[in-house]
Every structure is written in C-alpha cells, then in structure tokens.
Amino acid sequence: MKKVMKISTVFFLSMFMTIAITASSRLIPIYSVNTDQAKVALTFDVAWGGDDFEQILAILDDNQVKATFFIVGDWIDKYPDKVKLLKDKGHDIANHSNSHPHVTKLSVDEIKEDIQAAHKKVRDLLGIEMDLYRAPYGEYNNDVITAANELGYHTIQWDVDSLDWKDYTKEELVANVLEHSSLQPGSIILFHTGTKYTKDILDETIKGLKNLEYELIPVSELIIRQDYFCDFRGRQYKQEVTTVF
C-alpha cells in the first residue's frame, strides 16, 4: 500500500526555523504570538516605586482589562499588600527576577537562584506558582533562556514598547503604542509602574486599542504553552504536523 504523507506549511516553516536557530545556536524568547484573533496583551514591569500602582489598577478596572505584571522580588518585599491586590483583581503575576541584576553576566545556576528567590516569595505570599519570566532590562542570552526553561518558565519579551519611562509628551507616548509599526494581533505591549507618565497615558491608550478593535488579555491567555516554536523575530507559532496514511 502506498503511503501519502501531508505535512502542514507551518511544519515546513518550523523545520526551517529549527535549522536556522540550531545553526546559530541562539535561543529566542516570546516577543509576540501568531494568531488570527485581534488580541493583544498589556504587560507591566514592576521594579520601581508604588505611588501610581493603585491608579493603574483603577484604570484597568474601569476599562475591564486584565494585564500581566512582571514583579521584582525586592518590590514584593516592600509592597506585599499591593501584590496581594493584584491577585484579588485577577491579574497575571509574573517573575521579573529577585533583585533586577544584569542576568547575562551571571551563570545558569546564578540566574536560576535569582528566579527561584522571586518565585518563592510569590508562592509564600500568595500560594501560586508563576511560570512567566521577563529578564531585567530585557537582556537575555542562551543561559538566561535555558535557566528559565529548566525551571518551567516561558521567557516573555515584547514587540511594542510604550517608552512610558521617557520624557515624551502624552500624545507621543500614546502614539508609541497605537501607531507602532509592530502592533498586530498577538502583540505584547510593554509598560512600567513607578514612572511619571504611565498613569496619564494608560486610559487613552487602552481606549485607543479598543477602538482599533483589539481585545486586551493577559499573557497567560495569549501564549501557546506546548508544541510551539519562535521564529527569528520571537513570534510564537503553533507547531502542527498532520500525517495521513
């Protein structure tokens, strides 16, 4: 009997990217997710101050949006009640290291110790096990991703940066998101707490994204958790193989 095998286009693409990545020995985190649904994720790096935190949460509440907060362990020590509030409101709580080091200067074991220290703080405080990690400063190399992978974490970057920590006008900061060349279904958008401007641009930015017909969801609901690969841009694809005999 003659056997006929049909392999999806996605599989060919995945094989090509596997060869390319293997050749360069470069591991890639998740910058965005390939999807035909108009969904994007709002993320906040939480490492500085807490004065604007409740205001940011109130804006998210008013707009009925759930987001992902990547929190540094040192910040958890200072503001445990604010971390509890995140859980109460149903937002993603994710790992942004314990002390915000330059992780590319650390060994795999040192990176793992840092991730685990923050993980333990959240587990002890809230009883949850985090599995989303963003490296401090967005810095990564193979050791960083390997360390995170070995601890069961997905390493998350972003493809749209609000630049909310820079001294731009409100209009410029909103445009940084709404007019960003990379904004598309599956985008992961970066904000920060503890800045001068985030609370002032967040409401208008969210409303603008909704006017563009995007649904705003947390990273935990956006990413593909199994059988996936990331291309050279960090865009995550479902790896599908269909075999017919």
Side-chain angles (χ1 to χ4, degrees):
M1 181 181 295
K2 184 177 181 181
K3 296 181 179 180
V4 179
M5 179 177 290
K6 296 182 179 179
I7 305 178
S8 68
T9 302
V10 174
F11 177 70
F12 279 115
L13 180 58
S14 73
M15 289 294 293
F16 172 78
M17 290 312 307
T18 299
I19 293 169
I21 292 170
T22 301
S24 66
S25 299
R26 184 185 178 203
L27 301 178
I28 308 292
I30 300 168
Y31 281 79
S32 65
V33 178
N34 187 59
T35 177
D36 57 4
Q37 298 179 318
K39 296 181 178 182
V40 297
L42 296 189
T43 70
F44 295 83
D45 285 1
V46 185
W48 313 318
D51 292 344
D52 63 344
F53 199 75
E54 281 79 5
Q55 291 171 277
I56 287 173
L57 293 188
I59 293 168
L60 293 172
D61 280 349
D62 290 344
N63 286 280
Q64 299 182 310
V65 168
K66 303 299 182 188
T68 302
F69 289 78
F70 290 88
I71 308 178
V72 172
D74 289 346
W75 197 92
I76 296 168
D77 294 334
K78 294 178 182 177
Y79 304 105
D81 290 341
K82 296 183 189 299
V83 182
K84 291 178 181 177
L85 187 60
L86 277 180
K87 182 184 178 185
D88 292 343
K89 290 184 174 294
H91 297 289
D92 276 356
I93 298 172
N95 197 322
H96 194 36
S97 82
N98 188 53
S99 58
H100 212 270
H102 289 281
V103 285
T104 55
K105 298 181 180 180
L106 304 179
S107 68
V108 170
D109 285 343
E110 289 171 329
I111 297 164
K112 289 170 74 172
E113 288 175 5
D114 181 71
I115 294 172
Q116 287 174 310
H119 187 102
K120 184 178 185 300
K121 289 177 180 179
V122 170
R123 183 182 61 208
D124 291 349
L125 181 66
L126 302 176
I128 65 174
E129 305 284 350
M130 297 182 292
D131 67 354
L132 303 175
Y133 172 69
R134 175 173 285 161
Y137 310 103
E139 297 174 345
Y140 68 90
N141 57 20
N142 282 8
D143 285 348
V144 173
I145 299 177
T146 296
N149 287 347
E150 290 180 358
L151 293 173
Y153 273 88
H154 301 276
T155 304
I156 309 297
Q157 292 284 95
W158 62 88
D159 64 333
V160 175
D161 190 345
S162 68
L163 300 176
D164 54 349
W165 54 276
K166 288 195 172 185
D167 191 15
Y168 290 148
T169 66
K170 178 179 177 180
E171 291 74 21
E172 288 172 327
L173 290 170
V174 172
N176 284 342
V177 175
L178 301 185
E179 299 176 16
H180 199 287
S181 60
S182 294
L183 181 64
Q184 61 184 315
S187 280
I188 298 173
I189 304 170
L190 173 64
F191 291 96
H192 300 78
T193 66
T195 73
K196 181 178 179 180
Y197 298 106
T198 305
K199 65 183 184 301
D200 298 324
I201 66 166
L202 186 57
D203 183 71
E204 184 176 344
T205 304
I206 289 173
K207 287 180 168 58
L209 288 167
K210 288 186 173 183
N211 285 339
L212 293 172
E213 299 187 347
Y214 285 110
E215 179 184 354
L216 282 61
I217 62 174
V219 170
S220 64
E221 297 178 17
L222 181 67
I223 64 168
I224 304 162
R225 293 187 172 274
Q226 293 182 330
D227 301 323
Y228 69 84
F229 68 97
C230 292
D231 69 11
F232 66 96
R233 304 163 299 171
R235 191 156 177 87
Q236 186 190 40
Y237 290 81
K238 180 71 174 176
Q239 187 164 306
E240 298 177 351
V241 180
T242 303
T243 305
V244 179
F245 293 97

